[in-house]
Amino acid sequence: MSQTTLTPPEQAAPAGAAGSPLSNGLKQRHLSMIALGGVIGAGLFVGSGAGIAAAGPSIVLAYAASGLLVMFVMRMLGEMSAANPASGSFSVHAERAIGPWAGFTAGWMFWTLLCVGVAIEAIGAAAILTGWFPGTPPWMWVLIFMAVFCGTNLAAVSNFGEFEFWFAALKIGAIGLFLTLGTLAVLGVLPGTDSPGTANLLHDGGFLPHGVEGLLVGLLASVVAYGGLETVTIAAAESDDPVRGVAKAVRTTMWRIGIIYVGSMLLIVTLIPWNSEGAAKAPYATALDHLGIPGAGQIMNAVILIALLSAMNANIYGSSRMAYSLVSRGQGPKALGKVTGRVPRRAVLASSGFGFVCVLLSYWYPDTLFTWLLNMVGGVILVVWGFIAVSQFVLRRRTEREAPEKLVVKMWGFPYLTWVALAGVLGVLVLMAWDADTRVQVVFTGGLTAALAATGYAMQRRAAAARD
């Protein structure tokens, strides 16, 4: 990467602010819906099955525990983002709190995560459509998706907001209908169904069928499902009222996580046996089948397709803004810093291009290069959460001294819950290293972290020497 003099983040205008080259085209309704719908991803609809198979009914506890950790992380991120909105979000906060090397490391790690995520989501969406249209090649659908969402993000940021607004509305409607029908069935008032009571929760091995070890595996599976919530703080920087947008989005995180994640897990393991084949492979569709909903499988495929396309759109947006922020601070190739029409189009093209390369790698080298990429990003979100916790601890003290009026959103129980959150992140990483199935992800993620940190530190030293 070519190097420029590092720009202190305090001197950079936040996106959407007066003097910023980026747009403020996201309206409050866009941001509110992105915050609501962003919590509903394909990881919830698809990945939850593995957690149910491992933990049984105790998956409810796993999602509640990891959800509490995510609430703390989002609250800390919200505090910093409301005080200093920036398109680089936690990368900018890490640079201000710890140093340029930390912002470089957190930012490019997250960029890599989002770009690999684009590939995963494109492949998953193509698989659904090839099932609906047999004989069509998966690459055709991937190419269409990449072209559509790259084009959307190359245009005005309001286009991204409109896509996400309607994607989120559809996801919220689907999960809301599921929660309503499931609750009525559990209460025994849904026509044609009888209340299951506690039979599925307490029989077939009990609430903890695989003991504490199964609960811990379920905890690891649940953490992955929460990844991506951070994008709302990146988007907030391009809204018409960044401070209000961040504050409102973060304050609704608790009930969204509690109702959507924990609530839906509780309904699933109450309605159907946790050890059934359907619960492990397609928990939501199986629960809908149990309720006698016609075409439940295809309904859920449509919902999952929407969730995947929404994630693709959001990941291209988030990765491009993160890349732009890094470049504007001298932490990436200068060529990506050009803004046209108040959109960082070169950063959008670079992020989309890397995502498309990842798709090709998945076809050409599914068991080698693409697997390495997946392992490298396996624990990235936890490393990012660690940077957020440390940054919030440092910046909270600084903001209290220098500009206490900026603390519109405050972390609960500071500093104690900040330490609890950091300990929780470290604890999950230890569990990943202990578990044979996830240990390789810790090793690869650790290698990526070390490589980026070393590069960032070397760039920081060169910049300091140049100033001297």
Side-chain angles (χ1 to χ4, degrees):
M1 295 180 181
S2 61
Q3 171 65 15
T4 62
T5 303
L6 295 177
T7 302
E10 293 85 347
Q11 296 176 8
S20 168
L22 294 188
S23 171
N24 60 352
L26 290 179
K27 305 304 180 185
Q28 188 59 44
R29 68 180 181 89
H30 292 148
L31 201 62
S32 297
M33 195 61 78
I34 290 170
L36 285 168
V39 76
I40 308 170
L44 174 65
F45 293 121
V46 181
S48 56
I52 293 172
S58 67
I59 190 66
V60 178
L61 295 181
Y63 269 86
S66 55
L68 186 62
L69 174 59
V70 173
M71 288 179 197
F72 290 162
V73 170
M74 286 301 294
R75 189 76 183 186
M76 290 186 289
L77 183 55
E79 177 184 294
M80 295 183 291
S81 297
N84 292 282
S87 61
S89 187
F90 50 82
S91 172
V92 172
H93 306 322
E95 180 172 343
R96 295 179 66 243
I98 307 169
W101 72 267
F104 176 92
T105 304
W108 286 115
M109 285 186 76
F110 196 69
W111 182 83
T112 305
L113 170 67
L114 293 184
C115 290
V116 175
V118 167
I120 296 169
E121 287 131 14
I123 294 166
I128 292 175
L129 284 171
T130 52
W132 288 349
F133 303 98
T136 56
W139 64 263
M140 180 189 76
W141 296 112
V142 169
L143 191 59
I144 291 172
F145 298 149
M146 295 299 296
V148 168
F149 293 118
C150 180
T152 298
N153 281 278
L154 284 172
V157 70
S158 58
N159 288 355
F160 160 76
E162 283 299 321
F163 265 94
E164 280 305 293
F165 179 86
W166 292 109
F167 278 149
L170 290 168
K171 289 189 292 183
I172 291 166
I175 200 72
L177 182 60
F178 175 82
L179 292 170
T180 301
L181 293 174
T183 301
L184 293 175
V186 169
L187 295 176
V189 296
L190 187 69
T193 61
D194 296 321
S195 174
T198 59
N200 292 322
L201 292 173
L202 302 179
H203 297 171
D204 295 322
F207 190 73
L208 278 164
H210 295 150
V212 175
E213 183 173 350
L215 175 61
L216 295 178
V217 174
L219 177 65
L220 296 179
S222 65
V223 166
V224 177
Y226 287 113
L229 286 174
E230 306 79 11
T231 303
V232 70
T233 61
I234 297 175
E238 289 189 79
S239 67
D240 49 7
D241 189 348
V243 175
R244 176 170 167 259
V246 169
K248 186 174 181 180
V250 170
R251 283 168 181 156
T252 60
T253 297
M254 180 177 292
W255 68 263
R256 284 185 286 127
I257 289 175
I259 295 176
I260 293 173
Y261 277 88
V262 182
S264 62
M265 286 300 103
L266 179 59
L267 287 176
I268 288 171
V269 294
T270 302
L271 289 171
I272 58 177
W274 67 269
N275 54 359
S276 63
E277 184 178 354
K281 292 185 176 180
Y284 286 85
T286 303
L288 289 175
D289 278 330
H290 174 77
L291 299 181
I293 307 297
Q298 292 305 317
I299 292 172
M300 284 312 303
N301 274 338
V303 174
I304 292 169
L305 177 63
I306 290 169
L308 287 165
L309 296 180
S310 171
M312 273 191 71
N313 191 34
N315 284 354
I316 291 174
Y317 171 83
S319 58
S320 66
R321 269 38 177 198
M322 182 61 73
Y324 168 78
S325 174
L326 287 160
V327 170
S328 68
R329 289 179 277 137
Q331 298 183 349
K334 294 179 182 179
L336 299 184
K338 184 176 176 59
V339 175
T340 307
R342 304 199 75 181
V343 174
R345 289 178 178 165
R346 291 184 181 180
V348 170
L349 288 171
S351 299
S352 301
F354 186 75
F356 193 68
V357 168
C358 292
V359 173
L360 296 177
L361 292 178
S362 75
Y363 289 125
W364 295 337
Y365 309 103
D367 299 321
T368 52
L369 292 179
F370 190 62
T371 301
W372 293 351
L373 279 172
L374 291 179
N375 285 330
M376 278 195 295
V377 302
V380 162
I381 198 64
L382 290 165
V383 176
V384 168
W385 290 353
F387 274 116
I388 289 172
V390 174
S391 301
Q392 187 269 336
F393 182 84
V394 174
L395 293 180
R396 172 65 174 268
R397 298 292 197 198
R398 187 183 302 170
T399 306
E400 285 177 335
R401 292 194 308 268
E402 300 174 358
E405 70 280 0
K406 287 187 174 183
L407 291 173
V408 180
V409 177
K410 291 185 178 182
M411 174 59 180
W412 310 295
F414 179 82
Y416 307 107
L417 290 185
T418 297
W419 287 114
V420 169
L422 185 58
V425 169
L426 294 175
V428 175
L429 282 170
V430 169
L431 289 176
M432 288 182 69
W434 174 68
D435 184 79
D437 294 332
T438 53
R439 187 176 302 132
V440 67
Q441 294 181 9
V442 176
V443 174
F444 274 84
T445 301
L448 176 64
T449 305
L452 287 173
T455 303
Y457 185 70
M459 291 168 63
Q460 179 179 322
R461 291 287 300 273
R462 285 201 299 270
R467 288 194 297 268
D468 295 340

